[in-house]
């Protein structure tokens, strides 16, 4: 890829007959790790961009919307999220947000690809700063295998994965939700990246059905992230406590607290609104 060329995110498997393109100022890095193709691009409109296997994972311009929502939706659904597990999230963005929560005392993260971590530290320091927190312990390894050894240990589990192909495919299966349930403490919460209802409706429905087999309270929240397909991304959220109200945060923050945590997207009002879906989506999913 030469300077001033365009990067186009094309996937006939995930979103056929459409693509999203960014004009590239400079290719910062590209390599093939043990697990995936990794590219870091400097773009004209979206700053630094991380691309895995041809799919945009985050852009400097709008990453905060995704990171804050996948983190604070589940954290604020739990009344006391002391111990948190992050599966994936090798760019450090979710870690950056989770450690901000004042009730969180301990964060464990397991990421399968050490090269994503190292390259994010170099090229995405505004996200990888999450790895610097004394609350965080990072393990390079397989999330499935890690959770098998952690029964009844976590209050919240956040799965920040790529789309359901390649190394992330197993993170959307029923067996993964069963394993996550066992790794939770009583009344625990899980949250996973959940695609977009504009083009992934059947996948969302089937994943919610997998989740419902193991959790009494299951929901799908949404956020706006312009650089993702259709500009909308969702999150599977489930609680093992049947009394949990996903659309009513157990912990709320004042505007001053939000500003002190350097939050730019999440608020308690945004939390409530995230679970209000368009009529056609609500009918299909619920």
């Amino acid at each position: 890829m030469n300077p001033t060329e365009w990067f186009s995110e094309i996937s006939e498997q995930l979103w056929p007959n459409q693509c999203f393109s960014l004009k590239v100022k400079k290719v910062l890095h590209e390599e093939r790790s043990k697990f995936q193709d990794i590219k870091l691009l400097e773009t004209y409109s979206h700053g630094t961009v991380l691309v895995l296997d041809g799919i945009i994972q985050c852009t400097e311009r709008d990453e905060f919307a995704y990171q804050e929502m996948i983190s604070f939706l589940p954290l604020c659904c739990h009344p006391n999220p002391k111990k948190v597990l992050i599966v994936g999230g090798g760019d450090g963005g979710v870690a950056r947000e989770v450690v901000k929560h004042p009730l969180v005392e301990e964060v464990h993260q397991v990421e399968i690809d050490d090269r994503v971590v190292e390259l994010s530290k170099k090229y995405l320091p505004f996200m990888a700063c999450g790895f610097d927190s004394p609350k965080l312990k990072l393990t390079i390894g397989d999330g499935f295998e890690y959770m098998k050894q952690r029964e009844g240990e976590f209050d919240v589990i956040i799965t920040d994965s790529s789309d359901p192909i390649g190394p992330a495919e197993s993170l959307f299966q029923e067996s993964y939700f069963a394993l996550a349930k066992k790794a939770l403490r009583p009344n625990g919460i899980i949250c996973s990246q959940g695609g977009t209802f504009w083009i992934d409706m059947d996948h969302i429905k089937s994943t919610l059905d997998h989740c419902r087999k193991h959790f009494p309270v299951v929901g799908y929240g949404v956020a706006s992230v312009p650089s993702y397909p259709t500009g909308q991304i969702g999150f599977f959220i489930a609680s093992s406590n049947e009394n949990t109200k996903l659309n009513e945060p157990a912990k709320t923050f004042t505007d001053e607290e939000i500003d002190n945590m350097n939050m730019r997207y999440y608020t308690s009002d945004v939390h409530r609104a995230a679970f209000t879906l368009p009529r056609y989506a609500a009918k299909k999913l619920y």
Side-chain angles (χ1 to χ4, degrees), residues 3 20 24 43 46 54 79 81 93 124 126-127 137 153 158-159 162-163 168-169 171 174 188 192-193 196 219 265 282:
F20 177 69
V24 177
T43 67
H46 284 62
L124 301 168
F126 53 91
M127 298 176 68
K137 179 181 179 181
E153 192 167 330
I158 299 170
T159 307
S162 52
D163 292 290
E169 186 174 5
L171 303 180
E174 181 186 344
S192 302
Q193 184 266 108
T196 167
Y265 193 99

Side-chain angles (χ1 to χ4, degrees), residues 197 201 212 275-286:
F197 54 67
M201 188 71 84
R212 289 183 180 114
F275 294 94
T276 302
L277 302 182
R279 182 61 179 152
Y280 90 98
K283 288 177 70 176
K284 176 71 173 181
L285 300 179
Y286 298 111

Side-chain angles (χ1 to χ4, degrees), residues 21 125 208 234 236 239 278:
S21 299
L208 286 174
F236 303 115
S239 174

Side-chain angles (χ1 to χ4, degrees), residues 130-178:
F131 296 125
D132 297 332
S133 172
K135 293 182 181 181
L136 184 95
K137 179 181 179 181
L138 176 65
T139 299
I140 301 300
D142 181 271
F144 236 100
E145 295 304 316
Y146 186 91
M147 282 198 293
K148 286 178 181 178
Q149 305 169 37
R150 301 297 194 282
E151 187 168 342
E153 192 167 330
F154 301 102
D155 297 304
V156 174
I157 298 174
I158 299 170
T159 307
D160 177 22
S161 70
S162 52
D163 292 290
I165 57 174
E169 186 174 5
S170 64
L171 303 180
F172 295 85
Q173 304 301 317
E174 181 186 344
S175 55
Y176 182 77
F177 295 113

